[in-house]
Amino acid sequence: MSRKKKFFRNSIIIFSIVFLLLYAFQKYNSIIDIKVVEQGKLEDVIKTSGVIIKDEVVLKAKCSGESKYYYNEGDKVYKGLYIADIITANSSQQIDDEIKLIDEEIKNIANRGKSVITIGSGSGSKYSTYNQTELNNLRAQLVKAKDSNKIPFYSPKSGFVTYCFDGLEDIMKFNSVDDIMPERLLNLTTDEMNTFHIRNINSGDNLVKVINNFYYYVVCVVSNEEAKLFKENSYASVRFNNDNEKIYGWINNINTDGENSVLVISFNDFFYEIYNKRIVDIDLITNVHEGIIIQKEAVVERDGLTGVYIKDISNIIKFLPVEILSSDDKYYIVSQGKIISNGKRGIIKIEDTYYNTVKTFDKVVLDVDKVYEGEIVD
């Protein structure tokens, strides 16, 4: 092959490669990312931490020995149920003391108070919430326990059994929740432990908790400005720990001190999901906006108007103003405008001018830098 023919052939090959590269680049550059928009919802959310305050009773050991539990974590028990033992060689005298207290309460049953049972506490009124049948059953169980060197423990109320302790049981009291102020909730720390597998027990150690499963509180700190979004004696919409389920609580109190406020919210639902927790992440949902949901990168400013580019049925790029209702990190919710007739575009008013706006199933352009008004695209 002559040098001239070889040069001509190489030139053709180089030209073809360059042409194909330019074509591929132009083709790639002309691909426009488009999203079909639909109806959606966005929430206005205040993210904060909530402290759960439960109607709970802690049973503590009044002697040293080996513990034995008869119910698992999260089991439901009823009042007076035999739930635990401490096995000790010195139980006989303590059991006799308990029987004596029960006998006194049986005699004075007409004057019962409202205390609860805690074996070995020495309190003369601790059996006062039990009726005569319950007291008789407890007495029979204690008499039987004398022969086995066991100190029995009975559930002081109906509810859930838990062995999870956090160190805040004596600080976050159920009966004083309405008086909690912001300072009390700041910098709270927990000291968590689980007693279920601890067998060697010393006097004063925590054994088990029984928690009322019908009613609990969540208290949380918000700014005073955020607190203005809520009202006492009204409902609050809440989510726990990024769970998808939204539940409703009743705002009992809003306690303000300095720059912050405490929302005291009561609940009677969702308890089993959080009964063994103390501090949880919560979302306070203050508003829900409904409209057309659009990705943020699709929204541009043009001629003093905020709007989006759409590709219409004729593949022509058009700019449509939008009215933004709400946003989060990724999306805007925009108004569909006033609908004059079905299937037609809604109309929005910006200052003194009316504009057609986006509607459901519009093809909205995400690559806004690749298009212009009136352009015809594939």
Side-chain angles (χ1 to χ4, degrees), residues 170-187:
D170 293 330
I171 299 173
M172 295 291 121
K173 291 293 189 181
F174 187 81
N175 58 5
S176 60
V177 65
D178 286 335
D179 300 323
I180 291 178
M181 301 303 287
E183 184 179 2
R184 196 166 158 202
L185 298 179
L186 299 177
N187 303 315

Side-chain angles (χ1 to χ4, degrees), residues 2-117:
S2 68
R3 182 178 297 176
K4 187 175 180 180
K5 288 183 178 180
K6 187 175 182 181
F7 175 81
F8 179 76
R9 186 195 65 180
N10 290 342
S11 298
I12 292 295
I13 293 173
I14 292 171
F15 176 81
S16 299
I17 293 172
V18 170
F19 176 81
L20 289 172
L21 288 173
L22 288 173
Y23 176 79
F25 176 79
Q26 184 180 18
K27 191 72 174 175
Y28 172 79
N29 207 40
S30 67
I31 297 174
I32 300 171
D33 194 4
I34 288 175
K35 174 74 173 181
V36 176
V37 294
E38 298 181 8
Q39 291 283 329
K41 296 180 181 180
L42 281 183
E43 299 169 336
D44 293 337
V45 172
I46 298 171
K47 291 186 176 293
T48 185
S49 293
V51 179
I52 299 173
I53 300 180
K54 297 157 274 193
D55 181 10
E56 57 190 358
V57 178
V58 177
L59 300 184
K60 292 179 177 288
K62 296 300 180 180
C63 63
S64 299
E66 182 181 348
S67 64
K68 184 175 182 180
Y69 302 112
Y70 297 104
Y71 290 88
N72 293 319
E73 174 73 27
D75 282 350
K76 291 192 69 173
V77 296
Y78 56 83
K79 180 182 174 182
L81 199 64
Y82 185 13
I83 59 175
D85 282 323
I86 293 181
I87 302 171
T88 175
N90 302 315
S91 64
S92 180
Q93 183 58 50
Q94 294 182 63
I95 292 176
D96 285 339
D97 292 341
E98 296 302 319
I99 292 173
K100 182 178 179 181
L101 292 175
I102 291 174
D103 287 342
E104 290 175 357
E105 189 61 43
I106 290 173
K107 292 178 183 179
N108 300 296
I109 196 168
N111 299 317
R112 286 200 300 265
K114 293 186 178 180
S115 298
V116 294
I117 177 174

Side-chain angles (χ1 to χ4, degrees), residues 57 114-118 121 123 125-130 156-157:
V57 178
K114 293 186 178 180
S115 298
V116 294
I117 177 174
T118 307
S121 73
S123 170
S125 64
K126 66 181 179 177
Y127 296 118
S128 58
T129 61
Y130 291 78
K157 62 171 65 187

